[in-house]
Amino acid sequence: CYGRILGCNAVLDYLPGVGGDPQEKTRIEAEACALRGFYYFHLVNCYGMPYNYDKESLGVPLHLHSAVSSATVARNTVGEVYEQVLEDLKRAEQLYESLPADMQWKANMRVSLPFVQLLLSRVYLYMEEWAQASEYADKVLGDTRFRLIDRLELPQGEGTYFNFHSYANPEVIWPY
């Protein structure tokens, strides 16, 4: 995950100095923020105590720039990592919402506004912030591009196969 976080940090550090279409740059910044939040959320839940159990316990080190250093990096608390995750995801949401609708989600293997909102619902759920978890879950469930499939819609019989990790599945927002 830290290799991928380094890639996100490099994008965020160097994107302001790059030329190009401003909307594409905004989309790329949103993707980098969303992915960094996703990777830190994954790491802190693997290597830290649960947020609702002890948010002051040690989580994982936060490294938010692409600069290389030989200095020892201290672990941040679970609460600090969650705050960074929320900051990254809220920034990504803000950036996506500033883009035209056709740039907020496409079936193209990239993270998107619905991905960010779904992840925010999960982060708030882990934090036991029920109102925010519900608000973000409702945003995703209200998006007509996605829906939960009924088990009766699945292919029946021996030798049939349904690809759950494809955009042909109406539940898929990001087939990671």
Side-chain angles (χ1 to χ4, degrees):
C1 285
Y2 277 107
R4 292 182 175 126
I5 289 169
L6 176 62
C8 294
N9 288 339
V11 167
L12 294 170
D13 286 349
Y14 294 107
L15 191 62
V18 174
D21 178 35
Q23 287 185 333
E24 281 296 311
K25 287 176 63 175
T26 299
R27 182 190 54 78
I28 290 167
E29 182 180 355
E31 288 177 8
C33 288
L35 286 169
R36 185 169 72 179
F38 171 76
Y39 294 130
Y40 272 121
F41 184 61
H42 173 72
L43 282 171
V44 76
N45 284 298
C46 284
Y47 299 107
M49 297 297 287
Y51 181 91
N52 64 350
Y53 177 75
D54 185 6
K55 66 182 178 184
E56 298 305 317
S57 66
L58 292 178
V60 296
L62 284 173
H63 192 72
L64 305 175
H65 299 286
S66 60
V68 177
S69 171
S70 62
T72 303
V73 181
R75 290 171 66 189
N76 293 80
T77 67
V78 169
E80 290 169 337
V81 177
Y82 266 76
E83 287 305 313
Q84 183 61 48
V85 167
L86 286 175
E87 185 179 320
D88 283 342
L89 295 177
K90 295 295 243 168
R91 175 71 179 146
E93 179 185 38
Q94 176 189 27
L95 291 166
Y96 275 122
E97 287 177 340
S98 74
L99 294 170
D102 67 328
M103 293 184 78
Q104 294 177 358
W105 183 85
K106 289 182 185 175
N108 62 1
M109 308 298 269
R110 294 181 184 270
V111 294
S112 60
L113 179 60
F115 164 83
V116 170
Q117 292 170 334
L118 182 63
L119 189 54
L120 278 165
S121 74
R122 178 59 57 93
V123 173
Y124 283 127
L125 184 68
Y126 282 31
M127 295 173 75
E128 295 183 348
E129 303 224 3
W130 312 120
Q132 290 94 333
S134 176
E135 174 189 340
Y136 279 100
D138 286 342
K139 287 181 180 185
V140 177
L141 290 171
D143 191 327
T144 58
R145 295 173 290 199
F146 314 104
R147 68 178 177 82
L148 298 175
I149 57 174
D150 187 292
R151 68 176 179 79
L152 297 175
E153 293 178 65
L154 299 175
Q156 304 293 316
E158 192 173 321
T160 59
Y161 174 74
F162 183 77
N163 186 354
F164 287 95
H165 304 286
S166 154
Y167 285 113
N169 179 349
E171 294 181 357
V172 170
I173 292 174
W174 184 48
Y176 173 67

